[in-house]
């Protein structure tokens, strides 16, 4: 059970730290952290948890990552469903904690989206469903390649958390304007359940696209990393 508990706590931190930065700190006039700050926050959640729990659970924090690691031969399929359940529990609890904190401000409203992911009229900058889908697939694919490469036994030892955290920050810098960046179905679910309405209706894309991207990333790395000479 230790690894499942670790995955819940890790995903809790990712959603609270990443989405919390977007909900609580990004939009403050003059001193808000903006896209750059939110991108850095997501990267830091993964980096810190990779050092904290990587040796316990592998620090997936993401159903798409777990699927990709399984296909990449780095994760036992018998643990896939328990990991995904643990990740969803952590994400939803984090969404609840964030809601309690955010609602302590009398000006708070869920109409702002509560850091939910969206496309079309709910994209931060009005990107279409197709643009959002392609963006999420490609970004998740690249994230899996980074993860598999950084954790390869041939990679420099001990530096994987830094590469993975910076990779996630870069992904957010590119894709926040398009979909508010998911690349993680648990992260999307954890806040969409509280935002309700359109966020739940559009949630399908932020499960399907990241999973497709993870599969593609795992397959691509298996091809690239096949020669171990």
């Amino acid at each position: 059970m230790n690894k499942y508990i670790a995955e819940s706590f890790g995903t809790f931190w990712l959603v609270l730290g990443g989405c919390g930065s977007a909900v609580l700190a990004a939009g403050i006039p003059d001193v808000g952290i903006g896209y750059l700050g939110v991108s850095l926050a997501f990267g830091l959640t993964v980096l810190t948890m990779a050092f904290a729990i990587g040796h316990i659970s592998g620090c997936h924090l993401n159903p798409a990552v777990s699927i990709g690691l399984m296909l990449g031969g780095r994760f036992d399929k018998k643990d896939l469903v328990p990991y995904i359940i643990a990740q969803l529990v952590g994400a939803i609890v984090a969404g609840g904690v964030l809601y309690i904190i955010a609602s302590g401000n009398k000006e708070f409203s869920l109409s702002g989206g509560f850091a939910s992911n969206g496309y079309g009229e709910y994209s931060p900058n009005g990107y279409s469903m197709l643009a959002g889908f392609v963006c999420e697939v490609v970004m998740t694919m690249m994230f899996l390649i980074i993860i598999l490469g950084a954790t390869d036994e041939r990679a420099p030892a001990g530096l994987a958390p830094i590469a993975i955290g910076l990779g996630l920050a870069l992904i957010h810098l590119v894709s926040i304007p398009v979909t508010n960046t998911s690349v993680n179905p648990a992260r999307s679910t954890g806040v969409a359940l509280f935002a309700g309405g359109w966020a739940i209706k559009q949630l399908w894309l932020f499960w399907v696209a990241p999973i497709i991207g993870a599969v593609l990333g795992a397959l691509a790395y298996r091809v690239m990393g096949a020669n171990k000479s």
Side-chain angles (χ1 to χ4, degrees):
M1 286 296 295
N2 288 355
K3 56 191 176 184
Y4 307 141
I5 294 170
E7 279 296 298
S8 281
F9 274 102
T11 313
F12 171 88
W13 184 232
L14 182 146
V15 174
L16 184 62
C19 295
S21 70
V23 172
L24 303 175
I28 302 173
D30 300 323
V31 295
I33 62 175
Y35 285 175
L36 178 60
V38 174
S39 300
L40 182 60
F42 271 102
L44 287 174
T45 62
V46 171
L47 189 155
T48 52
M49 279 296 106
F51 280 116
I53 67 169
H55 56 287
I56 301 172
S57 70
C59 192
H60 301 184
L61 319 185
N62 182 336
V65 168
S66 295
I67 292 169
L69 290 175
M70 181 189 70
L71 294 175
R74 306 281 188 86
F75 182 57
D76 194 330
K77 64 181 180 181
K78 71 178 176 61
D79 284 325
L80 180 61
V81 171
Y83 262 56
I84 292 174
I85 292 171
Q87 292 155 1
L88 287 171
V89 169
I92 294 168
V93 172
V97 170
L98 179 57
Y99 178 79
I100 292 170
I101 295 170
S103 60
N105 186 318
K106 62 182 179 181
E107 297 182 0
F108 168 71
S109 172
L110 287 171
S111 63
F114 200 53
S116 295
N117 303 112
Y119 54 83
E121 64 178 302
Y122 300 108
S123 159
N125 280 271
Y127 286 86
S128 68
M129 181 179 72
L130 177 61
F133 188 87
V134 171
C135 184
E136 289 290 327
V137 168
V138 173
M139 293 298 160
T140 312
M141 178 183 72
M142 295 308 301
F143 192 38
L144 258 293
I145 291 172
I146 292 168
I147 292 169
L148 288 166
T151 57
D152 195 298
E153 61 185 11
R154 296 164 291 174
L159 299 180
I162 298 172
I164 295 167
L166 290 176
L168 187 61
L170 175 58
I171 286 167
H172 278 76
L173 285 171
V174 175
S175 58
I176 285 178
V178 183
T179 61
N180 217 18
T181 310
S182 171
V183 301
N184 184 338
R187 168 261 187 269
S188 299
T189 303
V191 290
L193 293 181
F194 291 89
W198 66 265
I200 293 177
K201 290 179 181 178
Q202 295 193 352
L203 184 59
W204 69 269
L205 187 144
F206 304 104
W207 274 86
V208 175
I211 289 173
I212 292 174
V215 171
L216 293 175
L219 295 176
Y221 193 78
R222 290 193 77 154
V223 172
M224 289 188 291
N227 182 7
K228 293 181 179 284
S229 60

